[in-house]
Structures are given as structure tokens and as C-alpha cells.
């Protein structure tokens, strides 16, 4: 692509970042500022102006998803993906490639990379009670690796940094030491070892270091505020003393200190690399002024002079509300999401998310969403859902599985159990190869039904998991003391990180933001987070915002009631047709159309046989498409006529 074309549509700050001289540059790119666009256009601009050789470009990211996104965007800008083009990868992927080449050149075998670290750390723990909690042990090992802390120094370092662990630091240090010894004995490496080995090789072999630096002459780093000391060592080893580096980050999104990241490494880059230019992207193109103002009010606790500006036009005010308890809050989340969905849009659920500080909060919310007809996209099924699937698993054949589903639908009052039973019926109607029993159903649920839900539903995920994402509508739940900031945050650094984490959560919303909290949680007093103080005061003190919010609530109740009435009408019509067809074919009504399938038809309003097949399967769709689509079309026509009056 032509260099001038690459600047089209950019604001002045973005153009400055893309076209700046080829010296050390640190770019502070705030949330929603077009950071990835600027980074990819900077690489393409350097190549287009012949100031960078694509074969010598190294772009480092923190996740595979981010690396994939960079490659795709570079491809659209004309930067080809081949052996003669740029290298894009995570710190670990880059290290793996360098280590493999290094060992091949020195005729040494590549060690095995540990694929099941949980087993290895449990073996290292032996008969220690922590052997049954490998994830928590690995968190500590990863933190120590990231901070370049050896087993010998772990206990002292963990105490100094205020690491909360459920076992004494000295005992974890012993397990950590055993873990490292097991890797040596078995000639295996974990991911952090890949970085350590490359850094060590470059430090001990100057010729090798120079070869790596010759290969990678132009270095770009994304999300650099998340660098930990180990990753920084790799960056410095590859950089050498050169200044051709372009480093992008946002100090307000530094939220991984608990995992070993060190924010000050990014903050101090201008002091460490002589002649560094610091640039900023202050314009936020994602959030409405109302959302950004709410986020800024929280951010000022750690960054009083934060400089971010909303470019979008004003929209709906932020809604902040407390609820009596966890169950009430979950129902409030349901109401807010229906309020958003009722505003229209092709697929409102896909553009909405619920964010929580901890995974355990998601269980009650997920159950409430499922119970009230909102499809959910989450990688962590609730305990009740997991239990219901497990109940169906012992069924030894098709008949037992069908009987289990029928019994549940006839007797169970649990919406989750009934939802799983409906999936059993849908499973039995598909053409399955191999045995059809409870175990195959469980596998099908994991591989098929879960995927179908994940492509359409509301996402429920933690603040940390939401980083780098955005949705039109976001509900940030559990905004209360003990969760925001989290009770585990003791030191000032940890509390500051919690503030930044809250800022990240709020800035995931682009159009509409709801904030909720509980007065009591699981029997304990909770109450509104102190971090919300200024934000809620501003909302409450604005008569216009209050009036708008009250108006929205009134309209939402009316719209929700209207939608429920419309939904009920179409459901009734489909049920009447289902009963009539069942009598004709002398089969149970649910064999014609399960409750789950019926509700999905009402929610998705399929317009073509293909749309219907996505809900009920191709063969059933072939049989019922003409009837069902006619009913849906008729209902939509009547509702449209009512709406225009």
C-alpha cells in the first residue's frame, strides 16, 4: 500500500505516531485510541518508505490472539505473510523459534516442552496437601519465573511482595525447587524456560547475540505495560544498544502485577533508552462521553492528570444501582440486558457482556440469564449446569437417555436441568455416528451445544479476561468493597492495580454501561465500592441524567412487558401448531419441536430454511420449515403493523 494511503482517516496524533523518525519511540495509547491500527500502520509505513526491511522486522505481542490480529491487519495493508516478511509472535513463540534454531545450529536435541504442568507440579509436591491444588502452585511458579526469582529466593521475595498463599512460603519454595529439578531430570522445559534459555545463550555467546540482533533490526512491542522482568530481559537482549524500537502501551491498563508483570519497566523506558520520544494517543473512539467520564472518575485515584478524550457523541447515561443480595443483583442484570435488547439490533446478545471481578460471581448470574431466556457465552458453566450434564452421563443407551430427559421435563422444577433435558432431546434427533448414550451426549454438549451458545450469547467473564475486548453494552457487576478493590489487595501497588482493573472493565463498553453492586453478599455485608464514590455522586447530582435514567427505566419496563407479550403470543402459536402436528404423526409434542428449539425460534426469528436448520438440524428443518417459517413471518407482520400505529 502507498505510504500516503496508510495515513488516510487518521487524526493528527495517530499520523504523528505512524510517521515519526526511526528512533526509540514509546507510545502511550489509551483504551479505544486505535492502538492496533497505529501499530500495524507504523510497520507498513516503515516498509512502504523503505526505512525498514520486512525480513528484519520483529513485532512482539502477549497473546496468540493479538499476534493473529496483527498478522491479519498487516496482510490487509499489503504486508505479505511469508518467509521474507515480518515476524510476528508472542514472547514465548519468538523464543521457541530462536531456541530451536540455536539447538539445530549446534547439533543439539530440542528438549520436550511440558504439556501437562499440573501433573508435574503435583508430582513435585509429593504428599503435600497442595498437590491437589496444582493451579495455585503454578501461579506462584509463574510469578517467580516472571520476576527472575529462584527457588532459593522465593520465600523472601514472596514475603516482600505481599504474596498471599494458602501454604507457607517456605513450603511452596520447596515444591518449586522440586519442580525445577524434575524438569532437569526429564530434560523438559516449560514456556518461561524458553525465554530464559534464549536470554542465557545471548548473554554467554556474543556471536549468537549479534546474529539475532542482525536478524531483528526493527523491533515493535505491543501492550508493553504488561512486560515482566523476564520478558524485558529478552527485549533488551534482542535490542542490544540500538534505538530502532517502537513500544506501545497504556499505563492505565497495567493489570497483571499479580502474575509477575512490572509496570515500572514501561514507565522507565524513556530513562533507560537514551533519546526516547514519548508520544500519546489521547482520543478515545470507543466509549461515549458518559462512559469515559465514569471510567475517568475512577482512574483519577491513581492518575489525577489522566488525559483521555471521548470523540463519540453523547448517548445514554451510565446507570449505577445497588441490590439487596446476589440473587437480586442477578435479576437486575437480566433486566438491564433485556432493556438493552429491546432497543433493537440484529443480534443484541452478541454485542453484550457481563463483567465480574472473580469467576465465582458468574455462577448465579449465568443461571439467572439462562432461566430468563438469555443465551450465554461462557467457558465456565455453572455448577448446576455441570451437575445436570453429569446426571445424564450414566445413561447406557438411547432409551435410557430419552427416559432421563422425559423424567426431568415431567418432574424437575430446575430450569437448568430442564434446559439440559431439552438438549438431550435435540441430541437424540441428530444423526449421530457411533454409540448414543450419556457419555456421547456429554461430549456432544461440550463440542457442539456449547459452541452454538458461544457464538450467539452474552459473554460472562472476568475483568482480566475482558482486557483487549469491547462490546456495545456492558454490565459491570459486583462493584463493591471486597471485590473492587479485591480483598486480597493489601499493598498500595496492589490497590492501585485494582483501580486500573476497574478502569479497564468500565472502558470495555462503547454505547451503554450498567454498574451494579450488592448490599450483602453470601450473608456478609458488602455495599457500594468506595471507588464508585465520585462517579455515583456525579450521576446522582445530575437532574437531567436522573430524569433520563428514570425515563429509561419506565420505558424499559413497558418495552420489556411488550416484548414478553409478543414472545408469549408467538410461543403459544408455535405450541398450538406443535400439538396439532404431534397428533397427526402420533408422536409426543417434544419430538416435533423441543422446548429449547421452540424458544430459540422465538428468540432468533428464522427467515429461511437455512436459519431454521441452525436451530433444529437439517433433516427436521426439511420437514417443518414451511409451517414454522410461515408462523414466524405472520407473527412478525402483525407485530410490525402494531408498531406503526
Amino acid at each position: 500500500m502507498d505510504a500516503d494511503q496508510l495515513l488516510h482517516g487518521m487524526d493528527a496524533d495517530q499520523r504523528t505516531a505512524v510517521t515519526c523518525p526511526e528512533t526509540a519511540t514509546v507510545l502511550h495509547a489509551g483504551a479505544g485510541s486505535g492502538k492496533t491500527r497505529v501499530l500495524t500502520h507504523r510497520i507498513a509505513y516503515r516498509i512502504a518508505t523503505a526505512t525498514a526491511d520486512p525480513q528484519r522486522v520483529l513485532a512482539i505481542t502477549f497473546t496468540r490472539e493479538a499476534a493473529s490480529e496483527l498478522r491479519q491487519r498487516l496482510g490487509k495493508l499489503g504486508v505479505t505473510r511469508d518467509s521474507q516478511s515480518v515476524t510476528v509472535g508472542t514472547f514465548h513463540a519468538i523464543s521457541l523459534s530462536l531456541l530451536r534454531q540455536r539447538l539445530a545450529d549446534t547439533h543439539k536435541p530440542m528438549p520436550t516442552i511440558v504439556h501437562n504442568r499440573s501433573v508435574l507440579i503435583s508430582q513435585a509436591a509429593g504428599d503435600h496437601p497442595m498437590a491437589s491444588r496444582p493451579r495455585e502452585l503454578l501461579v506462584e511458579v509463574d510469578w517467580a519465573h516472571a520476576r527472575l526469582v529462584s527457588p532459593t529466593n522465593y520465600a523472601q521475595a514472596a514475603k516482600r511482595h505481599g504474596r498471599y498463599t494458602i501454604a507457607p512460603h517456605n513450603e511452596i519454595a520447596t515444591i518449586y525447587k522440586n519442580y525445577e529439578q524434575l524438569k532437569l531430570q526429564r530434560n523438559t522445559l516449560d514456556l518461561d524456560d524458553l525465554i530464559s534459555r534464549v536470554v542465557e545463550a545471548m548473554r554467554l555467546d556474543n556471536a549468537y547475540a549479534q546474529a539475532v540482533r542482525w536478524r531483528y533490526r526493527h523491533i515493535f512491542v505491543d501492550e508493553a505495560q504488561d512486560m515482566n522482568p523476564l520478558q524485558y530481559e529478552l527485549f533488551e537482549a534482542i535490542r542490544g544498544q540500538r534505538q530502532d524500537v517502537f513500544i506501545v502501551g497504556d499505563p492505565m491498563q497495567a493489570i497483571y502485577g499479580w502474575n509477575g508483570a512490572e509496570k515500572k519497566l514501561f514507565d522507565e523506558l524513556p530513562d533507560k533508552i537514551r533519546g526516547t520520544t514519548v508520544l500519546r494517543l489521547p482520543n478515545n473512539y470507543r466509549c461515549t462521553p458518559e462512559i469515559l467520564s465514569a471510567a475517568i472518575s475512577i482512574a483519577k485515584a491513581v492518575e489525577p492528570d489522566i488525559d483521555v478524550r471521548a470523540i463519540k457523541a453523547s448517548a445514554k447515561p451510565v446507570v449505577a444501582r445497588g441490590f439487596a443480595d446476589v440473587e437480586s443483583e442477578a435479576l437486575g442484570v437480566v433486566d438491564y440486558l433485556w432493556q438493552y435488547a429491546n432497543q433493537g439490533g440484529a443480534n443484541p446478545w452478541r454485542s453484550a457482556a457481563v463483567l465480574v471481578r472473580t469467576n465465582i460471581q458468574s455462577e448465579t448470574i449465568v443461571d439467572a440469564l439462562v432461566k430468563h431466556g438469555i443465551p450465554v457465552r461462557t467457558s465456565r458453566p455453572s455448577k448446576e449446569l455441570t451437575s445436570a450434564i453429569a446426571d445424564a452421563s450414566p445413561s447406557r443407551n438411547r432409551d435410557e437417555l430419552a427416559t432421563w430427559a422425559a423424567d426431568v421435563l415431567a418432574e424437575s422444577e430446575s430450569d437448568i436441568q430442564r434446559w439440559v433435558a431439552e438438549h438431550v432431546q435435540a441430541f437424540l434427533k441428530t444423526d449421530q455416528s457411533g454409540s448414543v448414550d450419556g457419555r456421547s451426549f456429554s461430549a456432544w454438549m461440550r463440542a457442539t451445544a456449547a459452541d452454538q451458545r458461544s457464538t450467539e450469547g452474552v459473554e460472562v467473564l472476568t475483568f482480566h479476561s475482558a482486557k483487549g475486548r469491547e462490546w456495545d453494552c456492558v454490565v459491570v457487576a459486583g462493584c463493591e468493597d471486597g471485590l473492587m478493590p479485591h480483598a486480597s489487595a493489601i499493598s498500595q501497588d496492589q490497590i492501585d492495580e485494582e483501580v486500573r482493573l476497574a478502569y479497564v472493565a468500565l472502558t470495555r463498553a462503547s454505547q451503554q454501561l450498567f454498574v451494579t453492586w450488592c448490599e450483602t453478599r453470601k450473608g456478609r455485608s458488602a455495599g457500594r465500592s468506595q471507588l464508585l464514590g465520585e462517579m455515583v455522586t456525579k450521576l446522582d447530582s445530575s437532574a437531567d441524567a436522573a430524569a433520563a435514567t428514570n425515563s429509561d427505566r419506565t420505558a424499559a419496563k413497558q418495552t420489556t412487558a411488550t416484548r414478553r407479550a409478543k414472545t408469549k403470543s408467538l410461543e403459544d402459536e408455535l405450541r398450538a401448531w406443535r400439538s396439532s402436528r404431534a397428533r397427526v404423526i402420533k408422536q409426543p409434542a417434544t419430538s416435533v419441536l423441543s422446548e429449547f428449539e421452540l424458544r430459540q425460534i422465538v428468540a432468533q426469528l428464522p427467515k429461511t430454511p437455512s436459519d431454521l436448520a441452525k436451530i433444529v438440524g437439517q433433516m427436521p428443518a426439511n420437514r417443518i420449515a414451511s409451517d414454522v417459517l410461515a408462523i414466524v413471518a405472520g407473527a412478525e407482520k402483525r407485530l410490525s403493523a402494531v408498531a406503526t400505529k
Side-chain angles (χ1 to χ4, degrees), residues 93 122 130-131 138 168 199 260 281 301 313 353 358 420 443 532 535 573 586 611:
S122 294
M130 285 292 289
L138 289 172
V199 170
L281 299 180
T358 63
V420 172
L532 297 181
M535 183 190 92
E573 194 169 353
K586 298 180 180 180
D611 292 341

Side-chain angles (χ1 to χ4, degrees), residues 26-311:
V26 171
L27 179 64
H28 288 237
S33 63
K35 176 259 301 177
T36 304
R37 183 178 183 225
V38 168
L39 177 59
T40 52
H41 280 65
R42 170 65 173 175
I43 295 172
Y45 185 85
R46 289 285 307 274
I47 294 171
T49 56
T51 58
D53 179 350
Q55 298 180 66
R56 311 300 175 205
V57 169
L58 173 64
I60 308 176
T61 69
F62 280 79
T63 66
R64 291 190 298 271
E65 292 79 7
S68 176
E69 177 74 9
L70 281 185
R71 293 190 195 99
Q72 291 176 18
R73 294 205 189 192
L74 287 170
K76 292 178 181 178
L77 297 176
V79 180
T80 58
R81 291 180 58 186
D82 55 39
S83 60
Q84 303 301 310
S85 189
V86 303
T87 299
V88 180
T90 64
F91 279 93
H92 293 117
I94 298 300
S95 298
L96 176 59
S97 176
L98 288 173
L99 182 59
R100 277 181 171 156
Q101 187 61 53
R102 167 73 171 171
L103 294 175
D105 292 343
T106 55
H107 308 290
K108 295 179 181 178
M110 177 71 190
T112 302
I113 298 175
V114 178
H115 293 295
N116 194 332
R117 300 174 69 215
S118 295
V119 171
L120 192 62
I121 196 74
S122 294
Q123 292 173 347
D127 57 3
H128 192 284
M130 285 292 289
S132 63
R133 307 178 76 161
R135 289 184 61 184
E136 292 168 80
L137 287 173
L138 289 172
V139 166
E140 293 308 300
V141 168
D142 290 342
W143 176 83
H145 282 167
R147 295 279 180 143
L148 305 174
V149 174
S150 67
T152 302
N153 298 324
Y154 167 81
Q156 183 180 3
K159 182 179 180 181
R160 185 171 65 252
H161 286 277
R163 298 290 292 180
Y164 171 78
T165 56
I166 59 174
H169 291 147
N170 63 317
E171 294 178 13
I172 292 180
T174 300
I175 296 172
Y176 176 21
K177 179 180 178 181
N178 294 341
Y179 176 75
E180 296 299 311
Q181 290 176 339
L182 279 176
K183 287 191 296 181
L184 284 174
Q185 293 169 7
R186 300 178 184 183
N187 192 30
T188 59
L189 304 175
D190 62 21
L191 293 179
D192 285 336
D193 293 328
L194 300 175
I195 301 178
S196 300
R197 289 284 186 96
V198 172
V199 170
E200 182 181 19
M202 293 183 70
R203 184 172 61 247
L204 298 177
D205 187 338
N206 186 60
Y208 172 64
Q210 293 302 325
V212 173
R213 291 166 190 157
W214 177 83
R215 178 180 177 184
Y216 297 131
R217 303 176 199 172
H218 323 290
I219 306 174
F220 299 80
V221 182
D222 189 17
E223 300 283 8
Q225 79 280 346
D226 292 332
M227 275 195 296
N228 61 44
L230 177 60
Q231 292 163 338
Y232 182 79
E233 286 287 312
L234 178 65
F235 163 72
E236 280 289 81
I238 297 176
R239 183 181 76 87
Q241 298 301 313
R242 294 166 303 160
Q243 291 190 302
D244 192 351
V245 294
F246 188 84
I247 306 164
V248 183
D250 179 11
M252 274 308 302
Q253 296 190 70
I255 59 174
Y256 291 108
W258 60 274
N259 202 28
E262 184 69 76
K263 175 178 174 287
K264 72 177 183 180
L265 294 173
F266 178 76
D267 295 339
E268 296 174 355
L269 279 170
D271 298 325
K272 293 184 176 181
I273 305 177
R274 185 181 303 174
T276 295
T277 299
V278 178
L279 301 175
R280 287 178 170 80
L281 299 180
N283 292 336
N284 180 302
Y285 292 91
R286 175 191 300 156
C287 306
T288 64
E290 292 81 2
I291 293 171
L292 193 59
S293 176
I296 289 173
S297 70
I298 288 177
K300 283 184 175 180
V302 296
E303 189 61 51
D305 299 324
I306 183 172
D307 180 21
V308 290
R309 302 187 285 271
I311 302 301

